[in-house]
Amino acid sequence: MRKIITLILVLSWVFTANSQNVIQLEETQVNFEPTGEIVFENYANGIIKVKENYQRQFQSNAIAFIHENFDLNRFRKESGNEDGNIHITVTSSNGQLSAVYNEDNELMKTYQKFHNVPLPFDVRNQVYAGYKGWTITKDKYIAYGKESNIDHEKYVVYLEKDNKREKIKITPARSSVTGVATIEKF
C-alpha cells in the first residue's frame, strides 16, 4: 500500500512539473486616449463644443477635462483679453464647471455643480445603511476649491419612501479617522 501511495505522489509530481511550461505571448499595445474630440470651436465668442470619448467623461474629472481640451492661450488671443483674469464656464447636460485663471494662465479657483451623479461606493453604502427602505430619487454634487484641488465637496441627496420625502446633505470625509461621510438632514 505504501508503494502505491508513493507511486501516485511521484506521478502527480511529475505531471504537475511537466505542466508548468511557460507560454510566450506576442507583445501587444493598448492605447487609451482620454481627451475628447473638439466638434466646434469659436474662441472669439468663447464657444467650444467638445464631444466626450466616453459617457460622463467631463463629469468624472471636470478639471482634468478642461486642462486636456481647452486652449487658454488661443482663447486669450482671439478674445482680446491678453492681461487679467479669465472666467470660463463649461457646461454639459449634467452640470457645469466654472473656473478662474490668472494672467499667467494658472488656475486660481473652480466651482462645480452636477446633478444625478453616482455616489461613491462607501458613501452610497452609508446612506443605504442609515436609510433602509428609502430610494434615492435625485442628487446634486457641489464642489469648489483653489487651483486644481477640491477643498470642499458635498452631495445633496433626495430620498423617498412611501409618501415621505427627505433631503440630506452628505459631506465626504477627507480622512479615514472621521469615517466615510457626515450625513445631515436639511
Side-chain angles (χ1 to χ4, degrees), residues 55-127:
Q55 187 177 13
R56 298 185 187 247
Q57 178 184 10
F58 172 61
Q59 177 182 316
S60 63
N61 192 346
I63 297 171
F65 189 83
I66 294 302
H67 286 302
E68 294 170 353
N69 295 293
F70 187 67
D71 187 357
L72 194 58
N73 290 322
R74 182 173 172 193
F75 179 75
R76 278 191 185 278
K77 287 178 187 173
E78 294 191 19
S79 67
N81 186 358
E82 298 288 332
D83 306 341
N85 293 345
I86 290 184
H87 300 266
I88 63 166
T89 301
V90 181
T91 60
S92 74
S93 59
N94 289 343
Q96 70 176 22
L97 166 76
S98 297
V100 178
Y101 289 88
N102 66 10
E103 60 275 353
D104 297 326
N105 291 346
E106 295 171 347
L107 184 61
M108 292 174 43
K109 61 182 178 177
T110 61
Y111 173 81
Q112 307 176 40
K113 185 175 183 180
F114 294 100
H115 60 276
N116 296 330
V117 175
L119 295 175
F121 180 74
D122 293 338
V123 173
R124 184 180 63 230
N125 285 346
Q126 186 173 353
V127 171

Side-chain angles (χ1 to χ4, degrees), residues 17-174:
N18 196 21
S19 67
Q20 297 294 324
N21 294 336
V22 176
I23 300 172
Q24 294 292 330
L25 299 175
E26 294 181 24
E27 182 178 331
T28 61
Q29 285 187 333
V30 177
N31 294 330
F32 177 68
E33 191 173 303
T35 58
E37 174 187 341
I38 295 179
V39 178
F40 175 77
E41 44 185 35
N42 183 353
Y43 279 93
N45 293 324
I47 301 171
I48 300 159
K49 292 187 180 181
V50 179
K51 180 181 175 186
E52 299 171 313
N53 281 347
Y54 54 89
Q55 187 177 13
R56 298 185 187 247
Q57 178 184 10
F58 172 61
Q59 177 182 316
S60 63
N61 192 346
I63 297 171
F65 189 83
I66 294 302
H67 286 302
E68 294 170 353
N69 295 293
F70 187 67
D71 187 357
L72 194 58
N73 290 322
R74 182 173 172 193
F75 179 75
R76 278 191 185 278
K77 287 178 187 173
E78 294 191 19
S79 67
N81 186 358
E82 298 288 332
D83 306 341
N85 293 345
I86 290 184
H87 300 266
I88 63 166
T89 301
V90 181
T91 60
S92 74
S93 59
N94 289 343
Q96 70 176 22
L97 166 76
S98 297
V100 178
Y101 289 88
N102 66 10
E103 60 275 353
D104 297 326
N105 291 346
E106 295 171 347
L107 184 61
M108 292 174 43
K109 61 182 178 177
T110 61
Y111 173 81
Q112 307 176 40
K113 185 175 183 180
F114 294 100
H115 60 276
N116 296 330
V117 175
L119 295 175
F121 180 74
D122 293 338
V123 173
R124 184 180 63 230
N125 285 346
Q126 186 173 353
V127 171
Y128 285 144
Y131 291 88
K132 291 186 191 241
W134 290 77
T135 304
I136 297 176
T137 56
K138 64 180 180 175
D139 63 59
K140 294 178 189 174
Y141 171 71
I142 301 168
Y144 56 91
K146 294 184 179 182
E147 298 172 350
S148 292
N149 300 326
I150 295 177
D151 298 327
H152 303 283
E153 63 182 336
K154 68 178 176 180
Y155 295 89
V156 178
V157 177
Y158 298 86
L159 301 167
E160 194 173 293
K161 179 180 179 181
D162 301 328
N163 290 332
K164 295 182 272 182
R165 293 183 180 178
E166 291 269 336
K167 180 179 173 184
I168 59 173
K169 179 178 91 169
I170 303 168
T171 307
R174 292 286 175 185

